[in-house]
């Protein structure tokens, strides 16, 4: 039996180690004729979500707490809705499936820990949108990573008042 690593099970180092295993398993499942829609990619997606939170949203222990995170990004309409106590929606700027497939390609190319960390830091970004904005975004581009996915549908982003605009 292999000794378990000593660092936290959710440390970036361990999550990258687990992502490599999930990527390998996903690729093996695809080779056997299974599909991502059938579930081959789901473990890799989940691990990548955990890793992205650890790397880009320090101190945020669950994605659903993003609405109250000091550095959270909102569309202006979503920020107003949130301040009125209305529901806002969390959106992955890089669609999860495409982002995960890209991350698996990085692993397959032999990315070092630093190169992979840089890839995740660059592409893992969450924003808060209104339901209408989320629907509009999904209608135009629900599945591809692009340079300016939000801007291409006319959505700008701001940080909560007092924390600076982006």
């Amino acid at each position: 039996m292999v000794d378990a690593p000593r660092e936290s099970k959710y440390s970036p180092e361990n999550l990258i180690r687990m992502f490599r295993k999930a990527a390998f398993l996903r690729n093996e499942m695809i080779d056997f004729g299974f599909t991502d829609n059938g579930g081959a990619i789901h473990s890799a997606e989940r691990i990548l979500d955990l890793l992205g939170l650890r790397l880009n949203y320090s101190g945020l222990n669950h994605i659903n707490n993003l609405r109250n995170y000091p550095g959270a990004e909102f569309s202006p309409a979503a920020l107003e809705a949130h301040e009125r106590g209305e529901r806002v929606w969390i959106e992955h700027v890089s669609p999860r499936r495409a982002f995960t497939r890209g991350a698996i390609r990085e692993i397959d190319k032999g990315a070092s820990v630093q190169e992979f960390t840089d890839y995740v830091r660059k592409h893992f970004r969450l924003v808060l949108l209104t339901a209408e904005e989320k629907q509009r975004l999904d209608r135009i581009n629900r599945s591809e990573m692009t340079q300016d996915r939000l801007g291409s549908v006319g959505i700008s982003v701001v940080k909560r008042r007092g924390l600076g605009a982006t």
Side-chain angles (χ1 to χ4, degrees):
M1 182 176 203
V2 176
D3 288 347
R6 295 215 178 254
E7 69 265 358
S8 161
K9 63 184 171 184
Y10 296 118
S11 70
E13 297 78 15
N14 201 42
L15 289 168
I16 292 170
R17 193 177 301 121
M18 294 305 109
F19 184 82
R20 288 182 188 279
K21 291 177 179 295
F24 178 83
L25 177 61
R26 180 267 184 178
N27 289 342
E28 190 174 57
M29 292 170 82
I30 295 293
D31 289 346
F32 284 127
F34 206 54
T35 65
D36 285 338
N37 285 342
I41 202 167
H42 292 309
S43 291
E45 285 177 336
R46 177 66 180 135
I47 294 166
L48 200 54
D49 274 349
L50 293 170
L51 179 60
L53 286 177
R54 297 300 179 285
L55 294 176
N56 289 356
Y57 297 88
S58 178
L60 185 63
N61 58 8
H62 194 282
I63 193 171
N64 286 338
N65 296 329
L66 180 66
R67 292 160 185 86
N68 300 314
Y69 185 73
E73 294 179 286
F74 293 78
S75 72
L79 181 57
E80 288 176 15
H82 176 68
E83 289 174 345
R84 289 190 304 267
E86 297 172 10
R87 186 171 185 185
V88 294
W89 301 90
I90 299 168
E91 178 67 21
H92 288 258
V93 175
S94 294
R96 289 178 74 209
R97 183 72 46 92
F99 174 48
T100 304
R101 286 179 178 151
I104 290 169
R105 280 192 299 277
E106 292 297 309
I107 294 297
D108 291 346
K109 289 189 308 189
S112 68
V113 169
Q114 187 60 56
E115 289 167 336
F116 186 71
T117 299
D118 291 346
Y119 180 86
V120 174
R121 279 195 173 116
K122 178 179 179 182
H123 295 289
F124 187 88
R125 182 176 167 211
L126 304 170
V127 296
L128 294 147
L129 305 175
T130 64
E132 182 277 325
E133 289 168 329
K134 183 167 176 36
Q135 185 179 46
R136 180 170 25 124
L137 181 62
D138 284 349
R139 233 185 340 241
I140 302 298
N141 177 3
R142 182 177 174 191
S143 59
E144 292 180 36
M145 288 176 57
T146 61
Q147 189 71 17
D148 189 16
R149 183 170 171 246
L150 298 174
S152 69
V153 296
I155 298 174
S156 61
V157 178
V158 297
K159 289 187 180 178
R160 187 174 290 129
R161 287 176 196 32
L163 299 173
T166 57

